[in-house]
Amino acid sequence: MADPKPRSLQSLFVAGVLTLLPLWLTWVMLSFVFKLLSRVSSPIVGPALQTLAGGDPSLQWMTQPWVMSAVALIATVGFILFTGWMARRMIGQTLLRYFEGLIRRIPLANTVYGSVRQLLNILQTKPDGTQRVVLIDFPNRDMKTLGMVTRVMRERDTGRELAAVYVPTTPNPTSGYLEIVPVEYLTPTDWTVDQAMSFIISGGAVSPEEIPFSSPYDQSQRQPGSPEVDF
């Protein structure tokens, strides 16, 4: 009779990995975000704390790396909150327009800032003519990936509608690629952008019980004579 201990140890190890993996991934992502935010204010907070501690020996604890990182993180988060508060006031909007005017005078910065700003504005507004969150065929007709329609164009020769679809990657949705897809090949969903982001970041773990899969084109191919769906 085989010894059950190796199988028991294996099952315990797998159970432990499955239990700790979500916690570890959460820690890795939060640690990355915290370090990124602290680095933004470190060039200002670091010298300021060192100057403050240099005048009083009892404040030497402020020069500890973890203290400087924590203060820099708090400073960055506070600045972000202050920026959001200012953006909702008239004076903040005036200052934002002023800085945007300065950025427009810098060739490369103007291109990057304008593109990112336009993309964020598009994702925050409701689309007209087609759903914002869609599924597209990738890497073949029997598989789908999640994308977000940023614009609908027309083919020059035929007038066929084409959609510019931004496809985020998992688990970092800020990186991705752009696909130009005929509108009839899109599979529309009723998802919001927030739901799509949760789906991407979680690797598909956070998702509804049911999703559409076949595009209107696929359905029309399976049902000859059926009218085309107008997007």
Side-chain angles (χ1 to χ4, degrees):
M1 182 176 180
D3 187 3
K5 287 186 177 180
R7 179 173 297 181
S8 177
L9 292 175
Q10 180 180 0
S11 63
L12 289 176
F13 180 81
V14 172
V17 169
L18 295 178
T19 301
L20 294 176
L21 184 60
L23 298 175
W24 180 76
L25 291 177
T26 302
W27 166 253
V28 169
M29 294 184 63
L30 291 178
S31 177
F32 171 76
V33 172
F34 289 160
K35 290 180 179 179
L36 182 63
L37 292 176
S38 64
R39 289 196 193 112
V40 174
S41 300
S42 291
I44 299 176
V45 172
L49 290 179
Q50 289 178 353
T51 301
L52 184 62
D56 188 349
S58 63
L59 298 178
Q60 289 299 318
W61 58 272
M62 289 186 175
T63 60
Q64 295 293 326
W66 70 270
V67 175
M68 298 175 66
S69 298
V71 175
L73 173 63
I74 295 173
T76 302
V77 173
F79 179 76
I80 293 174
L81 295 175
F82 176 75
T83 302
W85 179 81
M86 289 288 292
R88 296 185 177 182
R89 267 86 183 156
M90 184 63 65
I91 184 174
Q93 295 175 1
T94 303
L95 291 174
L96 180 60
R97 286 192 294 268
Y98 172 75
F99 284 112
E100 287 180 342
L102 293 178
I103 293 176
R104 291 191 184 97
R105 299 177 183 178
I106 307 174
L108 181 60
N110 178 31
T111 302
V112 175
Y113 179 83
S115 300
V116 174
R117 170 57 62 186
Q118 187 174 7
L119 175 61
L120 292 177
N121 290 338
I122 288 174
L123 295 179
Q124 290 174 356
T125 58
K126 292 184 178 181
D128 49 355
T130 186
Q131 292 293 331
R132 173 72 69 219
V133 182
V134 298
L135 302 178
I136 63 173
D137 297 336
F138 182 84
N140 55 56
R141 293 289 301 276
D142 296 326
M143 302 175 69
K144 302 285 185 181
T145 189
L146 193 68
M148 301 180 190
V149 176
T150 58
R151 186 173 181 179
V152 176
M153 306 164 287
R154 289 190 179 274
E155 188 177 3
R156 177 178 300 173
D157 297 330
T158 64
R160 182 172 60 165
E161 287 187 315
L162 304 172
V165 183
Y166 173 68
V167 180
T169 55
T170 300
N172 180 14
T174 59
S175 64
Y177 52 92
L178 180 66
E179 294 276 354
I180 299 178
V181 185
V183 169
E184 62 267 21
Y185 292 167
L186 301 178
T187 301
T189 72
D190 57 356
W191 292 10
T192 64
V193 174
D194 292 340
Q195 290 174 323
M197 288 299 180
S198 298
F199 180 79
I200 294 168
I201 294 174
S202 67
V206 180
S207 65
E209 294 295 330
E210 297 180 351
I211 62 171
F213 192 81
S214 299
S215 67
Y217 177 82
D218 294 333
Q219 296 175 2
S220 65
Q221 290 293 102
R222 287 196 293 267
Q223 300 176 2
S226 61
E228 294 186 359
V229 177
D230 186 11
F231 281 81

